[in-house]
Amino acid sequence: MKEFDLIGRYFSAGGHKRRDVVIGIGDDCAVTMVPENQQLAVTTDTLVADVHFLRDAPAKSVAYKAVAANLSDLAAMGAEPAWISLSLSLPAVEETWLSDFVSGLYELTQYYSVQLIGGDTVKGPMAMTITAQGFIPPGSELTRSGAKPGDWVYVSGTLGDAGAGLDILQGKLDVSGEARDVLINRHYFPTPRVAVGTAMRRIASSCIDVSDGVISDLKHILSASGCGANIHVDRLPLSRALTSAVTQEEAIEYALSAGDDYELLFTVSEEQRGSLETSIASSNVKVTCIGQLTGHSDKLMLYKNDEKYEPKQSSGYEHTF
Amino acid sequence: MKEFDLIGRYFSAGGHKRRDVVIGIGDDCAVTMVPENQQLAVTTDTLVADVHFLRDAPAKSVAYKAVAANLSDLAAMGAEPAWISLSLSLPAVEETWLSDFVSGLYELTQYYSVQLIGGDTVKGPMAMTITAQGFIPPGSELTRSGAKPGDWVYVSGTLGDAGAGLDILQGKLDVSGEARDVLINRHYFPTPRVAVGTAMRRIASSCIDVSDGVISDLKHILSASGCGANIHVDRLPLSRALTSAVTQEEAIEYALSAGDDYELLFTVSEEQRGSLETSIASSNVKVTCIGQLTGHSDKLMLYKNDEKYEPKQSSGYEHTF
């Protein structure tokens, strides 16, 4: 099958259509319009089979996760998602796999009103690169570098579920019943926190999404902002599924070091805490204060019940060479 | 080496800086500004080692070609390039290779005033995906679908050089001296026809870049525009290097069917031929009329000295599954 047919058959037909897309899939470029008084946020993420996702994962979840990871980066910037481009490398055309992949892709793009505007399909090892774009009003972007000593550290949702889900799938963790399904689902179908990100515009002083574990990602904020942090591991938000499946200590380790939760980690000044509560009320997502920033540059201190805590793994998950 | 260090060391420091980039490499997203009254053109291309480029090609040329292929897509739309995002997948970090790659990348981005605004580096098979973005005034975009019967078919530069260069590198063609260097250089370092593309705004009725061979790419225009074409193969623009290296018939075959020339193939109505000559004069690139469109939908006829011509290969180079 020719690659052009492949693109045509699976990607051209469906998916959400936006009025700001002048030319979509099928020409040398897509042509789009950015609204007046909006900046453009751009992010690119690559997922390689057996590095970033399991090769035998359901195709629907592979697409879902690839899109979610990119929308999560937009959310971490406070941007509202608009368009994605997809480059898909596959060793061979398997029609069922492709059809499931497209259904996962379009499920998420439909939900977030995002249009697939183009891309490329090539024969090669299983991998995909998505470039996602969104809008953000000038001066409203949430960076990693705006945090200040004294700011409070918050995280959305619950942490550690996706990591436990991955361990279940790889046979490293034995969990049964509903908790098993919940944790595996959190690994396969992460939720990009788009509503939380846009709600945090002009409220959070810094923001990042938790893709490599909360310790690792918090360190990026600390480094970019020149701050330290005191984090209380007993305040980490844990799901009932996770706490029913593992010991409290194991749950804390998953929450600190496991990747792919795609929750938002952000900081809020004392003055903005009132606005945070008002703003987050409408988003229907729980946020939890897990600690406070200090002036000790790059110094991350962990506490459990106010005593110093040493994590088993000192840094988060990172794809290394 | 951690991937974050890799990004930091090789890509964050250098390269062209633009005033419309609010936040560049290093946060969850880049943040940019599209000028008022400009549309955004977006294109994505993936190059896989040993499919789209030779694995042992000089790293500088790999980067150069990957960027050029994307800028060529912008040029084919009439867009002025602005930013690129790069996702780079490598099996291992080789410092010399990376440093050469970055130098090739920055050479081209500097020349075209393009800023690298972000991307990703992952461990995996050697491959790269670039998303390039540029600007185009509303209504000025050059599509594949605007051609009409009677329009003249033009091509920029010369055709077939890159294909001959590839055959030389693969030992399928024996050429020595200056012609050898010229042809290999055209394969390794293609020139995106950015100036031609912007000069053709509101003049060309359709446009595409020649990445899969002129026959294959012309067919995309014919199919999208519902036209046929009569092409005179004796009018195909051939370089002195190519005609000195192979027979005339072989040169025509390279020109018709070989890929990766990255010239622009476009159509111009009789009324616009005067504007074409005025406009192209300032771009310092030769354009050649190679035929005319007909009303016979999808029917491509080739002639040599006004007699019907049968090419040896009926379609252009296409990466197939």
Side-chain angles (χ1 to χ4, degrees), chain B residues 218-235:
Chain B
L218 179 56
K219 282 181 176 171
H220 290 304
I221 286 182
L222 300 184
S223 166
S225 297
C227 292
N230 294 329
I231 298 298
H232 300 271
V233 302
D234 47 300
R235 297 185 202 164

Side-chain angles (χ1 to χ4, degrees), chain A residues 131-211:
Chain A
T131 298
Q133 309 203 60
F135 308 139
I136 180 149
S140 302
E141 60 271 14
L142 305 172
T143 65
R144 301 176 179 181
S145 58
K148 299 221 159 20
D151 288 355
W152 299 96
V153 181
Y154 282 84
V155 69
S156 66
T158 58
L159 294 172
D161 300 330
L166 177 61
D167 276 0
I168 293 170
L169 287 165
Q170 293 189 310
K172 296 177 188 167
L173 179 65
D174 188 21
V175 181
S176 60
E178 198 190 325
R180 177 187 172 89
D181 296 341
V182 169
L183 297 173
I184 288 176
N185 255 321
R186 286 269 289 169
H187 170 78
Y188 276 151
F189 302 102
T191 304
R193 295 298 188 190
V194 170
V196 178
T198 53
M200 286 306 97
R201 289 176 182 172
R202 298 189 181 275
I203 292 175
S205 55
S206 72
C207 189
I208 193 170
D209 67 325
V210 183
S211 53

Side-chain angles (χ1 to χ4, degrees), chain A residues 1-244:
Chain A
M1 183 191 269
K2 305 271 182 172
E3 61 176 320
F4 296 117
D5 297 343
L6 183 71
I7 298 169
R9 265 175 70 182
Y10 288 96
F11 294 106
S12 298
H16 183 75
K17 298 280 181 281
R18 291 174 60 98
R19 294 179 65 173
D20 53 18
V21 176
V22 181
I23 297 175
I25 293 175
D27 217 301
D28 290 294
C29 298
V31 177
T32 62
M33 296 287 292
V34 175
E36 270 185 59
N37 300 316
Q38 294 276 351
Q39 301 177 122
L40 187 69
V42 185
T43 183
T44 298
D45 257 326
T46 296
L47 286 83
V48 178
D50 292 339
V51 180
H52 302 90
F53 62 92
L54 302 171
R55 184 177 299 269
D56 58 359
K60 192 175 167 179
S61 86
V62 173
Y64 199 99
K65 193 167 177 170
V67 176
N70 279 277
L71 298 190
S72 178
D73 280 325
L74 290 178
M77 216 75 193
E80 175 200 338
W83 320 303
I84 59 167
S85 309
L86 165 73
S87 168
L88 184 58
S89 170
L90 292 174
V93 172
E94 291 173 32
E95 305 226 356
T96 312
W97 192 95
L98 257 176
S99 152
D100 289 351
F101 182 88
V102 171
S103 92
L105 186 84
Y106 283 157
E107 186 177 315
L108 211 53
T109 56
Q110 188 74 43
Y111 186 82
Y112 290 102
S113 302
V114 166
Q115 184 168 341
L116 177 69
I117 57 169
D120 202 359
T121 47
V122 297
K123 186 182 166 86
M126 189 189 283
M128 62 215 61
T129 297
I130 290 181
T131 298
Q133 309 203 60
F135 308 139
I136 180 149
S140 302
E141 60 271 14
L142 305 172
T143 65
R144 301 176 179 181
S145 58
K148 299 221 159 20
D151 288 355
W152 299 96
V153 181
Y154 282 84
V155 69
S156 66
T158 58
L159 294 172
D161 300 330
L166 177 61
D167 276 0
I168 293 170
L169 287 165
Q170 293 189 310
K172 296 177 188 167
L173 179 65
D174 188 21
V175 181
S176 60
E178 198 190 325
R180 177 187 172 89
D181 296 341
V182 169
L183 297 173
I184 288 176
N185 255 321
R186 286 269 289 169
H187 170 78
Y188 276 151
F189 302 102
T191 304
R193 295 298 188 190
V194 170
V196 178
T198 53
M200 286 306 97
R201 289 176 182 172
R202 298 189 181 275
I203 292 175
S205 55
S206 72
C207 189
I208 193 170
D209 67 325
V210 183
S211 53
D212 296 322
V214 75
I215 291 182
S216 178
D217 290 312
L218 179 56
K219 281 180 176 171
H220 290 305
I221 286 183
L222 300 184
S223 167
S225 297
C227 292
N230 295 328
I231 298 298
H232 299 272
V233 301
D234 47 299
R235 297 185 201 163
L236 291 168
L238 305 173
S239 70
R240 199 180 299 178
L242 185 62
T243 52
S244 76

Side-chain angles (χ1 to χ4, degrees), chain A residues 4 32 40 46 87 120 131 318, chain B residues 4 32 40 46 87 120 318:
Chain A
F4 296 117
T32 62
L40 187 69
T46 296
S87 168
D120 202 359
T131 298
E318 194 169 19
Chain B
F4 296 116
T32 62
L40 187 69
T46 297
S87 168
D120 202 0
E318 192 168 21

Side-chain angles (χ1 to χ4, degrees), chain B residues 73-145:
Chain B
D73 280 325
L74 290 178
M77 215 76 195
E80 175 201 338
W83 320 303
I84 58 167
S85 308
L86 165 73
S87 168
L88 184 58
S89 169
L90 292 173
V93 171
E94 290 173 31
E95 305 227 354
T96 312
W97 193 94
L98 257 176
S99 152
D100 288 351
F101 182 89
V102 171
S103 92
L105 185 85
Y106 284 156
E107 187 176 314
L108 210 53
T109 57
Q110 188 74 42
Y111 185 82
Y112 289 100
S113 302
V114 166
Q115 183 168 342
L116 177 69
I117 57 169
D120 202 0
T121 48
V122 297
K123 184 181 167 87
M126 190 189 283
M128 63 215 60
T129 297
I130 290 180
T131 298
Q133 308 202 60
F135 309 138
I136 180 145
S140 303
E141 60 271 15
L142 305 173
T143 65
R144 301 176 179 182
S145 57

